[in-house]
Amino acid sequence: MSCIEEKFAQLRATYPKELNSSLVMPFLRIMLDEKKSLGESDAVFIANYLGLPAMQVKEALTWYTMFYRHPVGTHVIKVCRNIACSLMGAERIIDHLSQKLGIKPGETTADGRFTLLLVECLASCGTAPVMQIDDTYHEQLTEAKIDQILKGLS
Ligand code: FES
């Protein structure tokens, strides 16, 4: 049994059998942590494992921006471009990050350190503009704050 399957089995044992569809998101997360990016074959693997239609897993995989479908850098920067952040200067933040990193949204730096992504609402509208780097939120962003944050990343 692979490492991924061992983790699947451990988690599955904690869920009632009739709630297999509730395991789609955590299984995608487990697989992403192991593989760093996911493809259609991964969705099919999970679907077969859980006895679900492949489309059900593919829908989750393609809907959520947190499930990467292309290789990403060591640090993934997700900048919110939804309404509150846009009104508070998201475009300026995106431009600054693009200039600072030398990449456009959707790209990864040549050294593989950073991937810059644009995402929809990060559910922190009251502290816009907002970005998430890996699992950490950074709020009320300014160009100076971004420079400090990037400097602090290894
Ligand atoms: S609009 Fe950016 S966090 Fe909600």
PDB file of all heavy atoms in Angstrom, residues 8 13 20-21 26 32 41 43 45 51 62 67 70 73 84 97 100 132 134-135 142 151-152 154:
ATOM      1  N   PHE A   8      -5.162   7.635   3.128  1.00  0.00           N
ATOM      2  CA  PHE A   8      -6.582   7.524   2.757  1.00  0.00           C
ATOM      3  C   PHE A   8      -7.295   6.557   3.702  1.00  0.00           C
ATOM      4  O   PHE A   8      -8.378   6.850   4.213  1.00  0.00           O
ATOM      5  CB  PHE A   8      -6.737   7.009   1.324  1.00  0.00           C
ATOM      6  CG  PHE A   8      -6.501   8.020   0.241  1.00  0.00           C
ATOM      7  CD1 PHE A   8      -6.081   9.305   0.520  1.00  0.00           C
ATOM      8  CD2 PHE A   8      -6.708   7.677  -1.086  1.00  0.00           C
ATOM      9  CE1 PHE A   8      -5.861  10.233  -0.484  1.00  0.00           C
ATOM     10  CE2 PHE A   8      -6.505   8.594  -2.105  1.00  0.00           C
ATOM     11  CZ  PHE A   8      -6.071   9.867  -1.809  1.00  0.00           C
ATOM     12  N   ALA A  13     -11.303   5.463   7.756  1.00  0.00           N
ATOM     13  CA  ALA A  13     -11.756   4.708   8.931  1.00  0.00           C
ATOM     14  C   ALA A  13     -12.473   5.604   9.939  1.00  0.00           C
ATOM     15  O   ALA A  13     -13.215   5.114  10.788  1.00  0.00           O
ATOM     16  CB  ALA A  13     -10.561   4.025   9.584  1.00  0.00           C
ATOM     17  N   ASN A  20     -18.864   8.778   2.010  1.00  0.00           N
ATOM     18  CA  ASN A  20     -17.658   8.754   1.174  1.00  0.00           C
ATOM     19  C   ASN A  20     -17.449  10.044   0.399  1.00  0.00           C
ATOM     20  O   ASN A  20     -16.320  10.483   0.210  1.00  0.00           O
ATOM     21  CB  ASN A  20     -17.725   7.580   0.193  1.00  0.00           C
ATOM     22  CG  ASN A  20     -17.057   6.347   0.756  1.00  0.00           C
ATOM     23  OD1 ASN A  20     -16.523   6.387   1.864  1.00  0.00           O
ATOM     24  ND2 ASN A  20     -17.105   5.256   0.020  1.00  0.00           N
ATOM     25  N   SER A  21     -18.535  10.673  -0.049  1.00  0.00           N
ATOM     26  CA  SER A  21     -18.361  11.905  -0.836  1.00  0.00           C
ATOM     27  C   SER A  21     -17.758  13.027   0.005  1.00  0.00           C
ATOM     28  O   SER A  21     -17.142  13.944  -0.525  1.00  0.00           O
ATOM     29  CB  SER A  21     -19.684  12.338  -1.464  1.00  0.00           C
ATOM     30  OG  SER A  21     -20.634  12.588  -0.461  1.00  0.00           O
ATOM     31  N   PRO A  26     -10.738  16.260   1.524  1.00  0.00           N
ATOM     32  CA  PRO A  26      -9.525  15.870   2.268  1.00  0.00           C
ATOM     33  C   PRO A  26      -8.621  14.926   1.498  1.00  0.00           C
ATOM     34  O   PRO A  26      -7.393  15.010   1.620  1.00  0.00           O
ATOM     35  CB  PRO A  26     -10.071  15.220   3.548  1.00  0.00           C
ATOM     36  CG  PRO A  26     -11.523  15.097   3.413  1.00  0.00           C
ATOM     37  CD  PRO A  26     -11.968  15.964   2.270  1.00  0.00           C
ATOM     38  N   LEU A  32      -2.459  16.169  -2.884  1.00  0.00           N
ATOM     39  CA  LEU A  32      -1.707  17.367  -3.266  1.00  0.00           C
ATOM     40  C   LEU A  32      -0.449  17.518  -2.408  1.00  0.00           C
ATOM     41  O   LEU A  32       0.617  17.857  -2.922  1.00  0.00           O
ATOM     42  CB  LEU A  32      -2.588  18.619  -3.137  1.00  0.00           C
ATOM     43  CG  LEU A  32      -1.923  19.926  -3.544  1.00  0.00           C
ATOM     44  CD1 LEU A  32      -1.621  19.937  -5.036  1.00  0.00           C
ATOM     45  CD2 LEU A  32      -2.804  21.110  -3.166  1.00  0.00           C
ATOM     46  N   SER A  41      -5.941  11.967 -13.780  1.00  0.00           N
ATOM     47  CA  SER A  41      -5.762  10.579 -13.321  1.00  0.00           C
ATOM     48  C   SER A  41      -5.841  10.492 -11.796  1.00  0.00           C
ATOM     49  O   SER A  41      -6.276   9.473 -11.250  1.00  0.00           O
ATOM     50  CB  SER A  41      -4.435  10.015 -13.830  1.00  0.00           C
ATOM     51  OG  SER A  41      -3.364  10.759 -13.305  1.00  0.00           O
ATOM     52  N   ALA A  43      -7.788  12.405  -9.928  1.00  0.00           N
ATOM     53  CA  ALA A  43      -9.224  12.484  -9.627  1.00  0.00           C
ATOM     54  C   ALA A  43      -9.882  11.125  -9.850  1.00  0.00           C
ATOM     55  O   ALA A  43     -10.706  10.678  -9.040  1.00  0.00           O
ATOM     56  CB  ALA A  43      -9.883  13.555 -10.496  1.00  0.00           C
ATOM     57  N   PHE A  45      -8.396   8.217  -9.715  1.00  0.00           N
ATOM     58  CA  PHE A  45      -7.922   7.305  -8.666  1.00  0.00           C
ATOM     59  C   PHE A  45      -8.765   7.460  -7.399  1.00  0.00           C
ATOM     60  O   PHE A  45      -9.216   6.483  -6.800  1.00  0.00           O
ATOM     61  CB  PHE A  45      -6.439   7.590  -8.358  1.00  0.00           C
ATOM     62  CG  PHE A  45      -5.884   6.705  -7.288  1.00  0.00           C
ATOM     63  CD1 PHE A  45      -5.369   5.461  -7.600  1.00  0.00           C
ATOM     64  CD2 PHE A  45      -5.881   7.109  -5.954  1.00  0.00           C
ATOM     65  CE1 PHE A  45      -4.867   4.624  -6.607  1.00  0.00           C
ATOM     66  CE2 PHE A  45      -5.387   6.284  -4.956  1.00  0.00           C
ATOM     67  CZ  PHE A  45      -4.867   5.042  -5.284  1.00  0.00           C
ATOM     68  N   GLY A  51     -15.431   4.847  -4.702  1.00  0.00           N
ATOM     69  CA  GLY A  51     -16.630   4.326  -5.351  1.00  0.00           C
ATOM     70  C   GLY A  51     -17.581   5.432  -5.765  1.00  0.00           C
ATOM     71  O   GLY A  51     -18.805   5.294  -5.683  1.00  0.00           O
ATOM     72  N   THR A  62     -11.236  20.867 -10.160  1.00  0.00           N
ATOM     73  CA  THR A  62     -11.140  22.000 -11.084  1.00  0.00           C
ATOM     74  C   THR A  62     -11.815  23.260 -10.553  1.00  0.00           C
ATOM     75  O   THR A  62     -11.567  24.342 -11.062  1.00  0.00           O
ATOM     76  CB  THR A  62     -11.753  21.634 -12.452  1.00  0.00           C
ATOM     77  OG1 THR A  62     -13.100  21.209 -12.268  1.00  0.00           O
ATOM     78  CG2 THR A  62     -10.959  20.530 -13.117  1.00  0.00           C
ATOM     79  N   PHE A  67      -6.337  23.564  -5.202  1.00  0.00           N
ATOM     80  CA  PHE A  67      -5.830  22.305  -5.752  1.00  0.00           C
ATOM     81  C   PHE A  67      -5.085  22.615  -7.045  1.00  0.00           C
ATOM     82  O   PHE A  67      -5.687  22.875  -8.082  1.00  0.00           O
ATOM     83  CB  PHE A  67      -6.971  21.317  -6.012  1.00  0.00           C
ATOM     84  CG  PHE A  67      -7.723  20.923  -4.769  1.00  0.00           C
ATOM     85  CD1 PHE A  67      -9.099  21.015  -4.715  1.00  0.00           C
ATOM     86  CD2 PHE A  67      -7.049  20.469  -3.651  1.00  0.00           C
ATOM     87  CE1 PHE A  67      -9.794  20.663  -3.563  1.00  0.00           C
ATOM     88  CE2 PHE A  67      -7.731  20.110  -2.488  1.00  0.00           C
ATOM     89  CZ  PHE A  67      -9.110  20.212  -2.450  1.00  0.00           C
ATOM     90  N   HIS A  70      -0.990  22.383 -11.949  1.00  0.00           N
ATOM     91  CA  HIS A  70       0.297  22.539 -12.619  1.00  0.00           C
ATOM     92  C   HIS A  70       1.352  22.633 -11.509  1.00  0.00           C
ATOM     93  O   HIS A  70       1.037  23.084 -10.408  1.00  0.00           O
ATOM     94  CB  HIS A  70       0.330  23.823 -13.459  1.00  0.00           C
ATOM     95  CG  HIS A  70      -0.743  23.859 -14.500  1.00  0.00           C
ATOM     96  ND1 HIS A  70      -0.680  23.103 -15.645  1.00  0.00           N
ATOM     97  CD2 HIS A  70      -1.905  24.532 -14.556  1.00  0.00           C
ATOM     98  CE1 HIS A  70      -1.759  23.315 -16.364  1.00  0.00           C
ATOM     99  NE2 HIS A  70      -2.525  24.184 -15.722  1.00  0.00           N
ATOM    100  N   GLY A  73       5.732  26.744  -7.381  1.00  0.00           N
ATOM    101  CA  GLY A  73       6.988  27.037  -6.710  1.00  0.00           C
ATOM    102  C   GLY A  73       6.942  26.657  -5.233  1.00  0.00           C
ATOM    103  O   GLY A  73       5.921  26.198  -4.724  1.00  0.00           O
ATOM    104  N   ALA A  84     -14.015  43.548  -3.092  1.00  0.00           N
ATOM    105  CA  ALA A  84     -13.494  44.376  -1.992  1.00  0.00           C
ATOM    106  C   ALA A  84     -12.009  44.653  -2.190  1.00  0.00           C
ATOM    107  O   ALA A  84     -11.542  45.787  -2.015  1.00  0.00           O
ATOM    108  CB  ALA A  84     -13.753  43.693  -0.650  1.00  0.00           C
ATOM    109  N   LEU A  97       3.711  42.916  -7.198  1.00  0.00           N
ATOM    110  CA  LEU A  97       4.251  41.561  -7.067  1.00  0.00           C
ATOM    111  C   LEU A  97       4.835  41.075  -8.393  1.00  0.00           C
ATOM    112  O   LEU A  97       5.914  40.475  -8.426  1.00  0.00           O
ATOM    113  CB  LEU A  97       3.152  40.599  -6.591  1.00  0.00           C
ATOM    114  CG  LEU A  97       2.887  40.617  -5.088  1.00  0.00           C
ATOM    115  CD1 LEU A  97       1.538  39.998  -4.761  1.00  0.00           C
ATOM    116  CD2 LEU A  97       4.007  39.905  -4.334  1.00  0.00           C
ATOM    117  N   LYS A 100       8.114  42.889  -8.900  1.00  0.00           N
ATOM    118  CA  LYS A 100       9.105  42.446  -7.900  1.00  0.00           C
ATOM    119  C   LYS A 100       9.630  41.033  -8.231  1.00  0.00           C
ATOM    120  O   LYS A 100      10.819  40.763  -8.095  1.00  0.00           O
ATOM    121  CB  LYS A 100       8.412  42.439  -6.531  1.00  0.00           C
ATOM    122  CG  LYS A 100       9.290  42.306  -5.377  1.00  0.00           C
ATOM    123  CD  LYS A 100       9.668  43.663  -4.824  1.00  0.00           C
ATOM    124  CE  LYS A 100      10.680  43.432  -3.721  1.00  0.00           C
ATOM    125  NZ  LYS A 100      11.494  44.582  -3.451  1.00  0.00           N
ATOM    126  N   GLN A 132      -2.637  35.480   0.161  1.00  0.00           N
ATOM    127  CA  GLN A 132      -2.291  34.322   0.969  1.00  0.00           C
ATOM    128  C   GLN A 132      -0.987  33.768   0.412  1.00  0.00           C
ATOM    129  O   GLN A 132      -0.869  33.537  -0.794  1.00  0.00           O
ATOM    130  CB  GLN A 132      -3.396  33.266   0.862  1.00  0.00           C
ATOM    131  CG  GLN A 132      -3.128  32.016   1.652  1.00  0.00           C
ATOM    132  CD  GLN A 132      -4.236  30.976   1.489  1.00  0.00           C
ATOM    133  OE1 GLN A 132      -5.225  31.204   0.804  1.00  0.00           O
ATOM    134  NE2 GLN A 132      -4.062  29.833   2.114  1.00  0.00           N
ATOM    135  N   ASP A 134       1.287  30.537   0.879  1.00  0.00           N
ATOM    136  CA  ASP A 134       1.208  29.183   1.443  1.00  0.00           C
ATOM    137  C   ASP A 134      -0.044  29.128   2.339  1.00  0.00           C
ATOM    138  O   ASP A 134      -1.128  29.337   1.829  1.00  0.00           O
ATOM    139  CB  ASP A 134       2.517  28.820   2.149  1.00  0.00           C
ATOM    140  CG  ASP A 134       3.718  28.984   1.204  1.00  0.00           C
ATOM    141  OD1 ASP A 134       3.557  28.686  -0.004  1.00  0.00           O
ATOM    142  OD2 ASP A 134       4.777  29.432   1.648  1.00  0.00           O
ATOM    143  N   ASP A 135       0.103  28.942   3.635  1.00  0.00           N
ATOM    144  CA  ASP A 135      -1.085  28.863   4.493  1.00  0.00           C
ATOM    145  C   ASP A 135      -1.289  30.113   5.345  1.00  0.00           C
ATOM    146  O   ASP A 135      -2.067  30.101   6.293  1.00  0.00           O
ATOM    147  CB  ASP A 135      -0.991  27.629   5.409  1.00  0.00           C
ATOM    148  CG  ASP A 135      -1.117  26.329   4.622  1.00  0.00           C
ATOM    149  OD1 ASP A 135      -1.853  26.311   3.606  1.00  0.00           O
ATOM    150  OD2 ASP A 135      -0.485  25.340   5.015  1.00  0.00           O
ATOM    151  N   THR A 142       0.233  46.825   1.457  1.00  0.00           N
ATOM    152  CA  THR A 142       0.821  47.969   0.771  1.00  0.00           C
ATOM    153  C   THR A 142       2.063  47.443   0.067  1.00  0.00           C
ATOM    154  O   THR A 142       2.531  46.329   0.378  1.00  0.00           O
ATOM    155  CB  THR A 142       1.255  49.064   1.773  1.00  0.00           C
ATOM    156  OG1 THR A 142       2.270  48.500   2.630  1.00  0.00           O
ATOM    157  CG2 THR A 142       0.079  49.576   2.593  1.00  0.00           C
ATOM    158  N   LYS A 151      10.867  39.585   1.795  1.00  0.00           N
ATOM    159  CA  LYS A 151      12.211  39.535   2.375  1.00  0.00           C
ATOM    160  C   LYS A 151      12.288  38.467   3.473  1.00  0.00           C
ATOM    161  O   LYS A 151      13.309  37.822   3.662  1.00  0.00           O
ATOM    162  CB  LYS A 151      12.567  40.905   2.961  1.00  0.00           C
ATOM    163  CG  LYS A 151      13.983  41.346   2.668  1.00  0.00           C
ATOM    164  CD  LYS A 151      14.307  42.658   3.331  1.00  0.00           C
ATOM    165  CE  LYS A 151      13.988  43.814   2.403  1.00  0.00           C
ATOM    166  NZ  LYS A 151      14.298  45.132   2.997  1.00  0.00           N
ATOM    167  N   GLY A 152      11.182  38.285   4.183  1.00  0.00           N
ATOM    168  CA  GLY A 152      11.168  37.345   5.304  1.00  0.00           C
ATOM    169  C   GLY A 152      10.985  35.887   4.904  1.00  0.00           C
ATOM    170  O   GLY A 152      11.058  34.998   5.749  1.00  0.00           O
ATOM    171  N   SER A 154      12.048  32.365   3.229  1.00  0.00           N
ATOM    172  CA  SER A 154      13.299  31.675   2.901  1.00  0.00           C
ATOM    173  C   SER A 154      13.189  31.001   1.543  1.00  0.00           C
ATOM    174  O   SER A 154      12.154  30.787   1.021  1.00  0.00           O
ATOM    175  CB  SER A 154      13.618  30.630   3.961  1.00  0.00           C
ATOM    176  OG  SER A 154      12.516  29.758   4.129  1.00  0.00           O
TER     177      SER A 154
END
